[in-house]
Amino acid sequence: MKILEFEYKHFGVEDLKDVLPRMGHTLKVISTELILERNSSAFDTLFEDEISKEHYDIVFTFNYSVVVSQNCNRHHIKYVAWVYDSPLVSLYSYTITNPCNYIFLFDSAQYLEFKNGGINTVYYMPLAVNTTRLDGMKCDEKVHSVFDSDVSFVGSMYNEKHNLFERLKDISPYTRGYLDAIMQAQLKVYGVNFIESLLTPNILDDLQKAVPYHKNKDGIETAAYIYADYFIARKMAQMERHELLSEVSRHYQTKLYTPNPTPELPDIQNMGAIDFYDNMPYVFKCSKINLNISLRSIKNGIPLRCMDIMGAGGFLLSNFQADFLQYFIPDEDFVYFESKEDLLNKCAYYLEHEEERKRIARNGYEKVKQFHCYEKRLEEIFELVNS
């Protein structure tokens, strides 16, 4: 097949360039920030110029793009969007019902939300890794000297100034107390997300007064979804990651790979931001324990970071996500924790039991390589699209 991909700073693009030709497909990639727009005459022109020069069987993007869908629908070309971000407000555009769409969601809870709402253009598809590329990244003495660690975490701490939650300065004391209470309750529970359902009309009215949210013209998203997943979930990630990493780093050598300084974590080694392709896999290969602490906007799904860790052969210690149980066996392919105390206990146990830790990492790697490599997942996607 001839495939046209539009992208803008998306993970996975280089892997597609590697994998698709090996599968016998032709791929052209166009990078443009215009795909982030909901409506763009400049993108319309770019799209039409490209398809007038060449026939394409499929147009592809990572994450869902409204303007790409609208152009594919207009020109009767199949559009494949493979989503790895959550939250992703563009999914709540009425354009997702365009018949050209094949939208693959990595979170089974979100897939069921749309499917049960009568949306027939969505499919459930876990994320993938390029294990061939990762296998070729060998760890020599120099690599080990840089990346070896007892515990590592790669991800945002959501501690940037002026984040969305901090803009809610004018909410009432009652609303602030209410939000604090439901966040503290949610932080104690994995596997069930109840934040959005607890945002009552009165609470939403107060949030709207403090930081108004105006729905997109083509949007069907609710204010509750926006405040729960963009404001509150990210604040919770800041709170949870700070608490867990603070505690872990007090007991074990811990490296953090994140863009912003973290002076509030004096015991951690903040290594700064890290490149997805060139260096991040070495972190996973060289760390005895790789942590995953998911955004609460990911209800059931297996985050891309978890697939990256296992695909590189790293040992994964993650919070509980229900979709793991469809594909992996706890304590055999990966390990999950249920509380701060459980996390600390499991860090202690697996740092002391090296052979068991290595066996679990190997099992997780073998399953990812067999079932979650790009070749396997893309075959499933193309089979659905062409059926």
Side-chain angles (χ1 to χ4, degrees), residues 19-292:
V19 172
L20 284 172
R22 286 197 272 111
M23 296 175 67
H25 303 292
T26 301
L27 175 68
K28 179 170 183 178
V29 177
I30 297 176
S31 295
T32 172
E33 193 174 1
L34 295 172
I35 65 169
L36 305 179
E37 302 293 330
R38 310 287 283 228
N39 184 40
S40 170
S41 59
F43 181 81
D44 297 345
T45 300
L46 173 65
F47 189 96
E48 294 193 19
D49 285 348
E50 184 58 37
I51 65 166
S52 67
K53 295 182 294 187
E54 191 74 54
H55 166 79
Y56 292 100
D57 299 294
I58 288 174
V59 174
F60 180 96
T61 64
F62 283 110
N63 290 335
Y64 178 70
S65 167
V66 173
V67 291
V68 173
S69 176
Q70 290 290 63
N71 275 277
C72 286
N73 200 51
R74 189 178 301 121
H75 294 281
H76 308 290
I77 300 174
K78 293 178 178 179
Y79 171 41
V80 173
W82 197 358
V83 174
Y84 65 79
D85 266 343
S86 177
L88 185 64
V89 71
S90 62
L91 284 170
Y92 292 85
S93 163
Y94 70 78
T95 62
I96 66 166
T97 61
N98 286 341
C100 64
N101 289 343
Y102 296 82
I103 303 169
F104 294 89
L105 305 172
F106 77 99
D107 188 336
S108 65
Q110 188 172 54
Y111 160 74
L112 290 172
E113 175 193 350
F114 285 117
K115 199 68 177 177
N116 293 339
I119 307 298
N120 293 318
T121 56
V122 295
Y123 305 83
Y124 172 61
M125 185 64 64
L127 297 169
V129 293
N130 184 358
T131 51
T132 301
R133 173 175 64 85
L134 297 177
D135 288 347
M137 299 181 71
K138 306 300 182 183
C139 298
D140 56 21
E141 184 176 341
K142 182 179 180 181
V143 168
H144 279 293
S145 70
V146 175
F147 295 106
D148 276 6
S149 183
D150 287 342
V151 182
S152 291
F153 177 75
V154 178
S156 173
M157 294 299 291
Y158 295 96
N159 60 347
E160 63 276 3
K161 294 181 179 178
H162 310 301
N163 63 55
L164 290 174
F165 190 86
E166 304 308 329
R167 297 179 189 177
L168 299 171
K169 295 178 180 178
D170 296 328
I171 56 176
S172 69
Y174 175 84
T175 298
R176 187 167 300 281
Y178 186 92
L179 295 182
D180 287 344
I182 62 175
M183 286 193 291
Q184 290 299 329
Q186 181 69 85
L187 286 170
K188 292 177 170 59
V189 178
Y190 292 108
V192 177
N193 189 305
F194 48 73
I195 291 291
E196 185 174 345
S197 65
L198 293 180
L199 296 180
T200 65
N202 288 341
I203 296 296
L204 288 171
D205 285 346
D206 203 17
L207 296 175
Q208 284 278 25
K209 290 174 184 176
V211 181
Y213 177 73
H214 303 290
K215 189 165 60 174
N216 288 284
K217 291 181 179 179
D218 65 323
I220 57 173
E221 72 274 11
T222 65
Y225 163 76
I226 295 297
Y227 290 118
D229 284 2
Y230 280 90
F231 287 68
I232 298 172
R234 291 179 177 183
K235 178 62 177 179
M236 287 180 59
Q238 180 193 60
M239 296 163 61
E240 185 169 28
R241 292 176 181 186
H242 176 272
E243 180 182 13
L244 295 182
L245 291 173
S246 176
E247 199 65 31
V248 169
S249 63
R250 285 180 57 236
H251 295 85
Y252 310 105
Q253 181 211 17
T254 306
K255 290 183 178 179
L256 168 65
Y257 297 84
T258 196
N260 296 326
T262 51
E264 69 278 8
L265 296 172
D267 299 312
I268 211 160
Q269 293 177 254
N270 187 329
M271 310 298 289
I274 191 161
D275 179 80
F276 177 81
Y277 288 102
D278 294 336
N279 290 318
M280 192 173 71
Y282 291 128
V283 175
F284 304 148
K285 291 172 180 283
C286 295
S287 302
K288 294 177 182 177
I289 294 175
N290 292 282
L291 294 181
N292 172 64

Side-chain angles (χ1 to χ4, degrees), residues 356-367:
E356 187 174 356
R357 187 183 74 240
K358 288 183 175 180
R359 175 180 57 79
I360 291 172
R362 184 69 185 178
N363 289 342
Y365 163 78
E366 292 293 348
K367 282 196 176 173

